[in-house]
Amino acid sequence: MSLRPVIVGGGSAGMAAAIELAGAGVASVLVDEASRLGGVVYRGPLRAGVDLGYLGARYSKALKQLHTDFAACAEHVDVRLGSRVVGGDAQRLMVLDEHEQLQPLDYSHLLLAAGCHERNVPFPGWTLPGVMLLGGLQLQIKSNVVKPLGGTLIAGTGPLLPLVACQLHAAGAKVVGVYEACAFSRIARQSLALMNKPQLFLDGLSMLGYMKLHGIDMHYGWGVVSAQGEAELSGVSVAPYDAHWQADMSRVQRQPAQTLAVGYGFIPRTQLSQQLGLAHGFSDDGYLRADCNVWQQSSLAHIHLAGDMGGIRGGEAAMLTGRIAAVSMLQRRGVLDAEQAIERRERYLGRLAAITRFRSGVERYTARGPAQIELAQPDTVICRCEQVRREAIDVALAQGVEDMASLKMRTRVSMGDCQGRMCVGYCSDRLRAATGRADVGWLRPRFPLEPIPFSAFQHLGTEA
Amino acid sequence: MNKTYDIVIAGAGVIGASCAYQLSKRGNLRIALIDDKRPGNATRASAGGLWAIGESVGLGCGVIFFRMLSSQAKRQAHGAAVAVDSSTPHILPECFFDLALQSNALYPQLHEELIARHGMDFKFERTGLKYVIQDDEDQLYAEHIVRHIPHLQAQIRWLDRQALRQAEPAITEQAHGALEFLCDHQLSPFRLCDAYMEAARQNGVDLYPNTCVSQVLHHGGRIKGVRTEQAGDFHCDTLINAAGAWAAELSEWATGTRLPVNPVKGQIVLTERMPRLLDGCITTSDCYLAQKDNGEILIGSTTEEKGFDVTTTVPEITSLVQGAIRCMPQLAGVNLKRTWAGLRPGSPDELPILGPVDEMPGYFNACGHFRTGMLTSAITGVLLDKVIHNERTPLDLAPFLASRFERVAVPA
């Protein structure tokens, strides 16, 4: 057991795991693709001298705390920034380092904490410049410290909507309206669950108060229908959504906007966990995710998962699951005995329980409405990389295509650079609806998970 | 859930789909095309080269196969019946040339027919195949090839250094020249398979995707059908084994004799989309390069005997990458988008296994196509349609019958 544990993802889960390991005297290797640790939640601004007041005092405090705790154990962590894990197997990762060279990284214990990505919803105009994903927009104001142009309309579901609306306004950007897909009554029904995190609940209420004070309208039970514009976005059409997110097209309203932020939720990243051969299952709304147990352990005993990769629960839960995974690794390495490990785990699980109840409440009211996939029109692009339109998928389904691999071959969906990250959800929904089967296959991610230069191989040997 | 058909085809790769298409043209047959998606399906992994001469003389996909044989022979040193080294090209027998060239000649017509009648375009492109000569050993190899195929001189062109630079400016300036095979072209492999399959469907063939054959049914010493895991029993008088790398198991269930078909793994590398950089398909003694209709350059492929393993492995990918950069230096600045591996259905003599077997009426082979399934799919569909109907075949099937192998007894 001479190899140090390897942690993929330097967000809150990965950092917390490294801190926990270091606390027990175990050094680790932490790999992250960004130029700064912290992940999308706690990366902070990429340039110095930025006043983060517009993000709120509690956020700034948590950001500082995490980075201070991490700095205190920095000597135990070999941090490799600007490094992307592009493949691997059960013993070795392939990392594209900051010099764009491919390096093998052997491991005996691995923690995958690579987070999630945003759910893409295809609707007419969704590929226009000016249409962004909500998390991506938030990252721009948080890390790149760049404000969107003109008026921003926010459409989606969940607590991130009012948060980003307030952050945008506080940063001096104009928010023309927030459209939450679910009805207010459905959120109200989850009040009890949401009270499990009273501070978050209060924050939520005060955000709504802030929005009201500054004249930002919050529309419950409304969602996006289409986006318009010639070369770039000029307007957004919204309409009332029913409980299944079926848009009422007789009541469409058009709002002028230069930026549309779309935030219909997050899905765990699975490209790496699939490539490593871990067992996966489908979540309730049809997305693939890697299996993990109460120790955050995957189907392979030496590989753990933490943070949103093991289920979407946000930054605070990510720290706790990162710590639990680290405790499990410490036990497997003989640093902790079973009793010590269970005692620590239970402490973290106790704190996780309230977050989990809170998140379950959020999940219930943000549950995706199945009728939203009907927004895409025959000429709407579904696969951006290969420019495949809905009509090509319609034809393939009519010709008897029944599974993801066949749909890929017939239409080229998912054959582009992103390997289907953006369109797999829509395609899976359509295939499941057409065949009535729950399992229509999923895309098998191929090495490399992201395009890499040919020159990255030039120093490698060809003997196994 | 019992179903009755005249013909059941097991395997909807490019071979099974071609058989289905040709048989469906008769219009009076009930045909089921059954397919079970398994990782490594060679049709989905293929490069789509129609390298009729190239593959027959051991270039293209065959060049790495040849190198493997060559290094094995060197390792074994003594006792090899045939001395194989880099100066003796690995040239397939005359019957394979006939099969490959006749099949190749069918594609232009087939391409038009599938577009016109069925709206399916498999992206046939006339490209030629250039064997790029990078050192003296390559030169010897090329000269040997030319000496072995005097009857095909009209399809061969020598390019000197300058002619090669003019034809293919992206190829390394270090290259001495090239030997071009004028009739060797390319297509999109999965589009070819989909085109056959969709045309067959339009002609009335029933498709059963994601359906796994688990047993072969017999009655009175002949084929009576197959059992499947998902769709019950299929009754039929005729069964075509087009199961690709998995054909051995099916042959054993059907006839009691296991065909010598084994998976031969090939890894492939794909670039991002590029502007048109290559005028034709390229083969070297390291790899082949084919720029496809959408601009991606496909680089293949390894030849490995690893059972049904389809993982991609860094040393093998690295060797393809380095071989490709050697031939086309600007690739060093290009992105690699994807790698994958497929399983060629290898046969011991590299010839496909086609037609009936004496001991099992109603059973037909259409398997063992090794590295040339795309190229020989067109003629395979035609041959199977003819032989099933006891009609005269456009070429002699004898060299391709399963009976050419010594029978391998199945352990009781």
Side-chain angles (χ1 to χ4, degrees), chain A residues 94 100 102 275 385-387 398-403 405-406 408-412 414-420 437 444 446-464, chain B residues 37 39-40 44 120 190-191 194 197-198 201-202 207 209-210 269-273 293-294 296 299 310 312 314-322 324-325 331-341:
Chain A
M94 292 309 296
E100 301 237 290
L102 206 50
Q275 180 138 106
C385 304
E386 295 290 321
Q387 292 288 304
Q399 290 174 346
V401 166
E402 292 191 354
D403 58 87
S406 302
K408 172 178 174 177
M409 295 295 160
R410 189 65 62 95
T411 64
R412 293 197 64 89
S414 84
M415 285 196 184
D417 287 4
C418 90
Q419 298 208 29
R437 290 205 316 267
R444 223 145 58 90
R446 310 285 187 177
F447 170 81
L449 299 177
E450 297 168 44
I452 59 175
F454 269 65
S455 54
F457 292 83
Q458 274 177 314
H459 68 290
L460 291 175
T462 56
E463 295 296 320
Chain B
K37 250 185 199 62
R44 279 185 280 144
M120 300 298 283
F190 42 88
R191 282 185 190 273
D194 273 5
M197 194 155 50
E198 172 58 13
R201 190 191 68 85
Q202 289 177 14
L207 309 181
N210 303 298
V269 167
L270 187 71
T271 70
E272 61 191 335
R273 284 173 189 244
D293 60 291
N294 63 356
E296 296 163 348
I299 299 152
V310 287
T312 49
V314 174
E316 282 70 24
I317 296 297
T318 302
S319 113
L320 290 174
V321 163
Q322 292 175 353
I325 293 175
L331 281 176
V334 165
N335 274 334
L336 184 161
K337 183 162 87 166
R338 197 94 89 240
T339 63
W340 64 81

Side-chain angles (χ1 to χ4, degrees), chain B residues 45-114:
Chain B
S46 162
L50 296 178
W51 301 328
I53 301 180
E55 291 294 348
S56 299
V57 299
L59 290 170
C61 203
V63 72
I64 296 182
F65 178 74
F66 168 70
R67 275 205 323 206
M68 187 187 76
L69 288 184
S70 170
S71 64
Q72 269 175 8
K74 274 177 196 156
R75 271 199 294 275
Q76 287 161 2
H78 324 285
V82 185
V84 183
D85 64 41
S86 54
S87 61
T88 51
H90 180 69
I91 291 182
L92 290 177
E94 197 57 42
C95 65
F96 185 84
F97 277 84
D98 290 345
L99 182 82
L101 288 163
Q102 277 203 39
S103 193
N104 197 34
L106 296 175
Y107 284 95
Q109 219 275 283
L110 190 62
H111 185 228
E112 284 173 24
E113 171 180 315
L114 286 165

